Amino acid sequence: MEYEPHAVERRWRERWAETGRYEADPGDEEATFITVPYPYPSGGMHIGHARTYTVPDVYARYRRLQGDNVLFPIAWHVTGTPIVGAVERLRKGESDQLETLQNAFGVSESELKNLETPMGYARYFIEEADSSYKTGMKGLGLSIDWRREFTTNDDRYSKFIEWQYRTLRDRDRLEKGLHPVKYCTNERQPVTTHDLLEGEEAEFQEYTLVRFGLTVDGESVTAPMATLRPETVRGVTNAYVHPDGEYVVADVDGEPWFVSEAATEKLRLQERDVEIRKRYSGDELVGSTVENPVTGDEVLILPATFVDTDNATGVVMSVPAHSPDDYVALRELKERADELTEYGLDPAAVRAIEPIPILSVDGYGEIPARDAVESAGIESSDDPRLKDATQELYNREFHQGELFEEYGEFAGAVIEDVREELREQFRERGAFDLMYEFSEEVVCRCGGDVEVAYQDTWFLTYNDDDWKAITKRAVEQLEAIPENTREQYTHTIDWLNEWPCIRNYGLGTRLPWDDEFVIEPLSDSTIYMSYYTIAHRLDEIPVEDLDHEFFDALFYGPEAVDDPDARALDLREEWLHWYPVDFRCSANDLISNHLTFFLYHHAELFEESQWPEGITIMGMGLLEGEKMSSSKGHVVLPGEAIDRYGADTVRFFLLNSAEPWQDYDWRADRVESTHNQLRRFWNRAQEVIEAAPAADADVELRPVDRWLLSKLQTTIRRTTEALEGFETRTASQTAFYGFEEQLRWYRRRADLEREGAAWTLRTVLEARLRMLAPFVPFMANELHEQLTGTPAETWPAPDAELESDRIEAREALIRELVDDVNDIVDVTGTDPELIRVIVAADWKRTVFQQVRETGPDVGAVMGQVMQRPSLRERGDEVNRLVQTLVEFVRERDDETLSALSDIDERDVYEDAAGFLADAFGASIDVVAEENTDDEKAGQAEPFRPAIVLE
RNA sequence: GCGAGGGUGGCCGAGCCUGGCCAAAGGCGGCGGACUUAAGAUCCGCUCCCGCAGGGGUUCGUGGGUUCAAAUCCCUCCCCUCGCACCA
């Protein structure tokens, strides 16, 4: 039978679907519940996604073969704005969006109209498109229980999320507060990253405002100067304004402030009450002085065109000792001090300004900024190297700089450790304030300017110490695969802060007590695994019955509510059956958000016994060595790959080319060769199946058969061990390629015409098919059925009876002999007619036994050996042999040595004589060293016969 | 800067935890052979250097160290990737 993957795969797919093979219901067997993040159908499925879902499938199939009741469900994540945004861009006819859909996912012109509603779009990529997730998953043969699918926009799911968020609020894990958001000043509403034309990478920066005192027109006002380095406040030597800039005095929260006009809008958006009173041009203020709120010093305001009035407050303080920028700016101003008289400045006063160092940092002198500028040879403020010098110095000062005495309790401390605290202290004293600003310019797709706005929002208090503590406990009892990810969870918990969990629009569940807001995607996907356990049965219950008490009864039991709903308690049984999640398989980049949130919410909402038991991390996929990119059309679709190679090839390649947590690279030439390997396997299997005697046939086995069976047991052990730890690569390599090597030797070595050989090969094939069934389920089940009449239903167990160190050691001797003869033939270029194998003399065996007994210590062994007169006579010869054998023994473990010492070498070689004769086309003569006077005979050592070619 | 991972033969990639059977699996590529009218596929062998007897030499980012013995353990440094932080 030819290998026709598509026909085979179609047959099995249909069969599994018809018989509901993977629909899992509670039963007596041990429950295993395995999940993977539900896909986000904002586009089609590509080959990069394929492995994500195949890894858990392999584990699920493995556990089933081990006898477990396994649940592997899937659902669809549609929450948030990506789908809505995609639909909008499609409606507007944006070309890059159209290209992605058409080029990467093969959407036809006629289908586009179906994608014009968010859920229509989602449905299309969930199950309608050729590139849809469901099509891909079914094609790959994933053993999913399809009855349980849902979307996160479903009414019932929303009821569940509402329950979750009400519960979190009741437990004080949800708080309301002001939070910075991106806000389009044109559309006058918050925007998301997807709405941006420029500045997608922009971050919110929290500027410290140093509240300098200024007198304008006889009035005392506050001149807030923005800085990211509040600790430099004592090093301020002057301030800068843009001489042509538009400035105002405005009442900000009832207090007069001097800021740029642009800043007033920013402050307003940040929930400040702002009323402009009077306008000024920057040059009107040049020459005035401002009072440092920390030192009380009066410093000059100087003019500078580099000041950006559209950034923060538009008033800048200057710290020339620690900022190369400021240092250069001051130097240049001093050089042209005489010109500054036009601003009414006294040139002498400008020239008198000197940098004031406030910290020391290794590698720089008294004035670090000066050193940085001078050592880089920077001449002017236009020098591009100034940026690097600034960056370098900031980093050094932040991580290593130690504050001077004036800083009191902070003196001697490193900036990194005290910046926050110092800022807070000065804030409390009224010297500092703060405002937000973006790290770069941000522009909305509508062309409007985007600013930071403060908005009332709800956030999850991931920074609560007790919540952090309990989540860390969840990490401790977690099986983290690979183990080195454990630290990353802990690390994430350490730095995680409050998380704003709602958005203004998008798909998903509305906040139950404020339906203006939608719960965002990373926040509505933290405990939904529990929803899988009941999803298919929830459909029978009217949505309006799914109230808070219903879920309380379901998840917290009958005692949790006054009048528990019987249907909820019934569902509770199923939840308890499957929960907790045994393994969640997810991408490594989700450790820092989704996976840690998943742990947080489980730790808070559920009993410890329901906490996740394991997380397996998965690496990224590359395509021909490069990142996949839907927008560039640099993707391979599972459907295409399956059409071309068959699903088994796709699966096997994905699982065999790297361990799940490693990155892998889809390369067509390798996939091709994987396909060839599978076909070769199929063809060989066909031969074995045709010749196969019954499993219980009474056959005579030769040592070489027993050798192969012994190797099989080792293979089973190693494969099992690997799969237990999700090492899909090791497992499939061992069961497939690793064993193929043994078979190659076996085919060469054994007489395959014997029934014993046929039986051995069928036994081996059967076990391998069962081990390969998780990886290549179509092929393995098909062949298994051809061989035995049933699909592969159980995992093979190693049979200790069939393992034999002695048999393996015997075979190893033959292999070594073949290698040695080959070596000699190669080097000498001869073609021998006779190969004489001379087995070491008995006295040499005696020495070997002595070494084994005494241990690998030349002196000690010699001491023992020399007590025997027969050996003492041989003096030097014995000494040399002991040296060799000590090495030999040292390099081998006890089992091998023990096996070797039981072996009769002559018997081994004589037994293999027929094979050797065939292999070398020569006659074989096995003799004992004692019985020959060949000059090479003396070279014979135990387990290393002398070889003579004639 | 912090955290994680990594640097192996022409290439990809195992090995490293648990030191010795490691000149280092497997694949790709290359070379030779078998089969074929031929190509492809398949199968067999070779593929660091030297060697007409199973041997020797030099290799696993750098430089040290531990050990009878190091790709493997320890330390130093260099480089790469990712995440985080930092970034008038």
Side-chain angles (χ1 to χ4, degrees), chain A residues 249-265:
Chain A
V249 166
D251 283 331
V252 175
D253 292 339
E255 182 186 65
W257 278 22
F258 176 79
V259 293
S260 70
E261 185 174 4
T264 58
E265 178 65 18

Side-chain angles (χ1 to χ4, degrees), chain A residues 269-333:
Chain A
L269 288 170
Q270 292 178 31
E271 294 287 300
R272 301 220 188 226
D273 193 19
V274 182
E275 200 178 319
I276 296 175
R277 287 219 315 255
K278 191 166 179 206
R279 290 164 202 279
Y280 296 88
S281 171
D283 52 13
E284 293 179 57
L285 275 298
V286 171
S288 305
T289 60
V290 287
E291 184 189 338
N292 187 316
V294 171
T295 62
D297 294 343
E298 291 282 337
V299 299
L300 271 177
I301 297 179
L302 301 179
T305 50
F306 62 76
V307 170
D308 181 359
T309 54
D310 195 32
N311 191 288
T313 56
V315 192
V316 179
M317 64 187 210
S318 167
V319 186
H322 300 290
S323 162
D325 281 317
D326 290 347
Y327 180 81
V328 173
L330 181 62
R331 190 170 68 183
E332 289 178 354
L333 269 179

Side-chain angles (χ1 to χ4, degrees), chain A residues 425-545:
Chain A
Q425 242 182 54
F426 282 120
R427 242 182 100 183
E428 278 164 28
R429 282 196 237 157
F432 290 177
D433 210 320
L434 61 83
M435 82 177 282
Y436 286 94
E437 181 61 279
F438 288 123
S439 53
E440 56 184 283
E441 194 180 8
V442 184
V443 180
C444 181
R445 277 175 181 272
C446 77
D449 183 33
V450 174
E451 293 290 349
V452 182
Y454 242 25
Q455 245 204 359
D456 236 354
T457 196
W458 287 88
F459 48 81
L460 290 157
T461 56
Y462 290 143
N463 53 338
D464 284 350
D465 287 339
D466 57 335
W467 201 358
K468 281 180 191 269
I470 191 172
T471 307
K472 282 188 177 172
R473 269 195 20 234
V475 172
E476 278 162 28
Q477 55 102 69
L478 183 78
E479 185 165 353
I481 295 179
E483 178 57 39
N484 63 36
T485 55
R486 187 185 306 281
E487 209 173 319
Q488 298 185 50
Y489 296 109
T490 311
H491 189 240
T492 302
I493 294 168
D494 281 336
W495 61 255
L496 209 55
N497 229 310
E498 356 177 89
W499 181 265
C501 63
I502 55 170
R503 297 291 181 265
N504 290 73
Y505 61 92
L507 296 174
T509 302
R510 308 219 150 239
L511 205 56
W513 55 88
D514 192 347
D515 65 8
E516 226 184 295
F517 297 111
V518 183
I519 296 166
E520 61 87 40
L522 281 165
S523 299
D524 84 337
S525 56
T526 58
I527 57 162
Y528 73 93
M529 311 79 205
S530 57
Y531 191 81
Y532 280 130
T533 65
I534 50 164
H536 59 312
R537 297 174 58 191
L538 226 43
D539 288 342
E540 301 151 16
I541 300 170
V543 177
E544 55 275 19
D545 292 0

